Amino acid sequence: MRETTAPGLRMKTRQAVTEALADTALELFDSTGFDQVTVADIATAAGISQRSFFRYFSSKEDVVFGDRIPTAEEVRGELLRHLDGDGSGDGSPAWDALRATFRTAADQMDADPGRWKRATRVICRTPGLRASYLEKHLAWVDALTPEVSRRIAPDGPDPELKAQTVIHAALSCFDVAIMRWADGGADQSLAALVDEVFGFVRIPHA
């Protein structure tokens, strides 16, 4: 009787190959430069064909981003975990909720620091990837603005403008922390750096 591989095992095998291929590609991108590395280079280094590469990734960009960067809805869902559910203002202040949201992301990145640091360095050094990352940031701002604006001085002048300012400030804090962490300029965990950088900023009534 012919033996078959259980679906769960096939999934685990595919995930293992995908991660190994991503690691190979990220090492090349980090050492040589994203724009200088071709799919053929990655395939050769990994010992596979270019056709096999495209079974796992649609492009070089997909290696760097893939499902690595949270969607706007995922970030919004995490923010809501740290805010009151009815918008009454009885929960965490908006700034503290944003810090907790990005600290959760930092904890996840701290769990796999080598891969995340390489991916971050590659994004920061490649203009095209930085632009794509900025687009994701702007999508996060759009998703978070309604939640934050309802909780910071909703009766004051232009709460949407204040919410956007607070969210962009939070994203800047997160980016400063992650760039310092990825460059190896600090011995702290990313989560600790996020706490430290956010602590430099005081947002009144947020």
Side-chain angles (χ1 to χ4, degrees):
M1 180 180 295
R2 181 180 178 182
E3 294 185 358
T4 60
T5 304
L9 182 57
R10 286 200 299 270
M11 185 178 296
K12 290 178 182 178
T13 300
R14 179 178 178 81
Q15 181 178 354
V17 173
T18 302
E19 290 178 354
L21 184 54
D23 285 340
T24 298
L26 287 171
E27 288 174 6
L28 286 173
F29 296 155
D30 193 20
S31 61
T32 306
F34 179 85
D35 292 329
Q36 286 68 45
V37 176
T38 66
V39 170
D41 293 331
I42 299 169
T44 298
I48 61 173
S49 67
Q50 291 187 59
R51 183 176 179 180
S52 294
F53 171 90
F54 289 111
R55 292 175 184 167
Y56 298 94
F57 297 102
S58 62
S59 63
K60 293 194 304 177
E61 290 79 2
D62 190 31
V63 176
V64 181
F65 290 112
D67 59 359
R68 196 183 310 276
I69 309 297
T71 66
E73 280 307 304
E74 288 172 334
V75 177
R76 175 178 175 273
E78 183 62 29
L79 176 70
L80 289 175
R81 289 184 56 237
H82 304 286
L83 288 169
D84 56 295
D86 60 7
S88 65
D90 295 329
S92 300
W95 183 250
D96 289 342
L98 286 164
R99 170 164 35 188
T101 296
F102 289 112
R103 197 184 195 286
T104 298
D107 284 333
Q108 295 171 352
M109 296 168 75
D110 279 329
D112 190 7
R115 189 173 297 158
W116 272 106
K117 286 183 178 183
R118 279 192 291 270
T120 300
R121 289 194 296 267
V122 171
I123 291 170
C124 290
R125 296 169 184 168
T126 310
L129 296 180
R130 285 204 307 270
S132 296
Y133 185 61
L134 177 59
E135 287 181 6
K136 294 179 184 296
H137 270 199
L138 294 177
W140 293 356
V141 173
D142 288 343
L144 300 183
T145 295
E147 304 302 336
V148 175
S149 63
R150 289 192 295 115
R151 292 165 172 82
I152 55 173
D155 299 325
D158 208 340
E160 181 178 288
L161 178 61
K162 185 172 183 180
Q164 290 172 339
T165 302
V166 170
I167 295 165
H168 277 290
L171 285 167
S172 294
C173 287
F174 183 65
D175 282 345
V176 167
I178 195 175
M179 286 187 288
R180 171 66 69 88
W181 177 72
D183 284 337
D187 295 329
Q188 295 168 279
S189 67
L190 178 56
L193 274 171
V194 166
D195 280 340
E196 181 177 359
V197 175
F198 267 77
F200 295 149
V201 181
R202 293 290 179 268
I203 306 293
H205 309 300

